[in-house]
Amino acid sequence: MRLWRIFLLGTVSGFPWLFIGSEMTAWLHDVGLSRTAIGLFSVVFVAYTINFLWAPLIDHLRLPGLRRLGHRRSWIVLCMLLLIAQALILAATGPAISLFLTASICLGIAIASATQDLAIDAYRVTVIAEHEEHMIGHAAAMATCGWWTGVSLPGAFAFILADQFGWNLVYFGLAGILVLMLVGILWAVKEPAKSEEPSTVARVTRNQFFDRSYVAAVTEFFQRNGLRLALGLLLFIFVFKLGEAFLGRMVVVFYKEVGFTNADIGVYSKGLGLAITITCAIAAGFFTSYFGTVKGLMLAGIGMAATNLLFAWLAVVGPDKSLLIFALVADGITSALSTVAFVAFLTYFTSHLHAATQYGALASLGNSGRTLLAASSGILVDWLAGDWMMFFILTALMVSPALLILWWIGRSVREPQVDG
């Protein structure tokens, strides 16, 4: 039952990306924004990069008025209420009315979603006991399945219906689904057992809170891993998903420019991609548990690079649906493997005592490379004069540094660790 709750929370974690991700990219393209502007719009994802700054609040502070829901659940519910309110405002306005207002609301959605992710990740880390290491891969698989379900299943219908009803009505529908998700969370998700009683502002001073949260979490991470390995882990996490992020930010623009319709994107990219990713994510849980996270990440990284080359091929051939399906199947397989292994990797190096703080910081570091650098993806395409083939080749090459670092990490974790 715990795994199914993790799956449900995964769908809640992925769903807000519909409002600010590929659907918003298509909406911005439809109202006439340039590739560079669309790429820079992804700066709103900076919230996922800096959410570690307020992660200790998720670990240590109770929310007044929501305590009866439980510590983790109360944070999730608060964030969902904020998401619903902002989604309705976004649906009622949109980029055609005010691009600045749209960007501001999308930033607010990203902040609420990034905060919600902290609570959900902390729930997943703490609901699996420390002696249940064999469950980490399966929990990561269910979280991945849930995330892709939350993004892709309603996202497929959003793209299919956009041409007929327009993006404003589609966004109202998505806001309604968010309300149903909130009801599902209140009904099905139970509070996990607490490893430590959270603090309240009234019981600790500001300095004590800082020491118990930020300082303690960082110190514990470096002491447990040693300075050299800890720095290697941080560098790997920063660069691993860069190529995928560059591709992901521009791929909808590529689909539309190469000749695919919104309906094609909904059916093939969202619908087919969801089926492949979920199927492979479940298998990836067993794969990661059997081979280990490092070897799984290595194979997934090589697969990601190869998949990006398939999109380069598609850029040469044009809107060939058979080749698109082939590329999406390969992308679904490698995305599932890499995401499950990456989540398991982060979970493995996170302590239960500082679950939200450490996991949030590690995930934020991974998002920072994707957010800060991938925002220039549109600029890169324009600099290449719209040469999509070369763009996808470059995204494939971006994986190489991460694989070298991962190879070193694999050697280091098998050796006795020496504190730096």
Side-chain angles (χ1 to χ4, degrees):
M1 194 63 188
R2 287 178 299 170
L3 293 179
W4 285 111
R5 289 170 184 161
I6 290 172
F7 173 83
L8 176 59
L9 289 171
T11 64
V12 174
S13 177
F15 192 82
W17 285 63
L18 290 173
F19 296 103
I20 58 178
S22 56
E23 281 68 18
M24 180 53 66
T25 296
W27 198 355
L28 294 173
H29 183 275
D30 288 347
V31 298
L33 262 69
S34 67
R35 290 184 295 236
T36 295
I38 293 172
L40 292 174
F41 197 87
S42 66
V43 169
V44 300
F45 287 92
V46 72
Y48 296 93
T49 300
I50 63 173
N51 65 346
F52 71 93
L53 295 175
W54 59 89
L57 298 176
I58 312 301
D59 271 332
H60 299 288
L61 295 183
R62 288 182 178 273
L63 292 173
L66 296 174
R67 292 187 179 186
R68 61 187 181 84
L69 295 176
H71 182 59
R72 301 300 184 194
R73 290 174 77 230
S74 63
W75 278 101
I76 296 171
V77 169
L78 173 64
C79 293
M80 293 194 73
L81 291 173
L82 294 174
L83 287 169
I84 291 169
Q86 293 178 100
L88 290 172
I89 298 174
L90 185 59
T93 55
I97 294 178
S98 172
L99 186 61
F100 176 78
L101 178 60
T102 297
S104 300
I105 297 172
C106 285
L107 178 60
I109 289 175
I111 293 172
S113 174
T115 305
Q116 176 182 261
D117 283 354
L118 292 171
I120 290 175
D121 290 333
Y123 180 98
R124 177 174 45 77
V125 171
T126 54
V127 81
I128 302 298
E130 291 183 331
H131 65 275
E132 296 179 309
E133 288 188 5
H134 63 285
M135 293 289 292
I136 291 178
H138 299 294
M142 293 301 283
T144 301
C145 289
W147 195 93
W148 281 105
T149 299
V151 168
S152 299
L153 185 58
F157 288 104
F159 271 105
I160 293 171
L161 296 175
D163 287 336
Q164 184 175 359
F165 296 103
W167 285 111
N168 292 89
L169 285 179
V170 166
Y171 268 56
F172 274 117
L174 294 176
I177 295 175
L178 203 53
V179 174
L180 296 178
M181 285 183 163
L182 175 58
V183 174
I185 291 296
L186 292 172
W187 175 70
V189 175
K190 309 299 180 185
E191 183 73 5
K194 303 178 184 65
S195 59
E196 183 183 69
E197 183 69 15
S199 309
T200 63
V201 174
R203 283 160 39 191
V204 296
T205 67
R206 189 181 310 172
N207 288 337
Q208 287 174 329
F209 176 76
F210 183 83
D211 290 341
R212 291 183 57 181
S213 51
Y214 293 97
V215 175
V218 172
T219 301
E220 192 278 338
F221 177 79
F222 278 91
Q223 287 180 342
R224 175 162 43 90
N225 296 298
L227 178 61
R228 189 174 64 168
L229 177 59
L231 292 176
L233 291 170
L234 298 179
L235 182 59
F236 166 75
I237 291 169
F238 179 77
V239 301
F240 180 62
K241 292 271 190 174
L242 284 182
E244 182 184 67
F246 268 73
L247 183 148
R249 187 58 196 164
M250 281 289 110
V251 73
V252 171
V253 177
F254 164 69
Y255 289 149
K256 295 176 78 68
E257 289 192 4
V258 82
F260 294 108
T261 66
N262 281 331
D264 291 333
I265 298 171
V267 172
Y268 296 109
S269 179
K270 296 293 183 177
L272 177 62
L274 171 64
I276 298 298
T277 301
I278 287 183
T279 302
C280 294
I282 295 174
F286 293 96
F287 176 85
T288 302
S289 298
Y290 183 79
F291 288 103
T293 56
V294 174
K295 185 177 292 185
L297 276 172
M298 182 67 72
L299 294 174
I302 295 171
M304 284 194 313
T307 300
N308 288 13
L309 295 178
L310 290 178
F311 285 96
W313 184 14
L314 183 62
V316 175
V317 173
D320 185 311
K321 292 183 179 179
S322 298
L323 182 55
L324 174 63
I325 292 173
F326 180 52
L328 289 173
V329 169
D331 185 58
I333 294 172
T334 57
S335 293
L337 288 174
S338 63
T339 303
V340 170
F342 192 64
V343 170
F345 184 87
L346 298 184
T347 303
Y348 181 80
F349 288 100
T350 299
S351 78
H352 278 215
L353 185 61
H354 306 284
T357 306
Q358 287 190 1
Y359 191 96
L362 295 177
S364 293
L365 182 63
N367 286 325
S368 65
R370 300 170 63 183
T371 302
L372 299 177
L373 299 181
S376 63
S377 56
I379 297 175
L380 177 59
V381 177
D382 284 339
W383 181 75
L384 294 171
D387 188 343
W388 287 105
M389 181 189 73
M390 182 56 64
F391 172 76
F392 290 123
I393 290 174
L394 291 176
T395 63
L397 294 175
M398 289 177 188
V399 182
S400 301
L403 296 181
L404 292 175
I405 300 169
L406 184 61
W407 173 79
W408 176 83
I409 291 173
R411 288 172 55 90
S412 299
V413 296
R414 291 196 297 268
E415 300 171 352
Q417 295 180 22
V418 179
D419 290 338

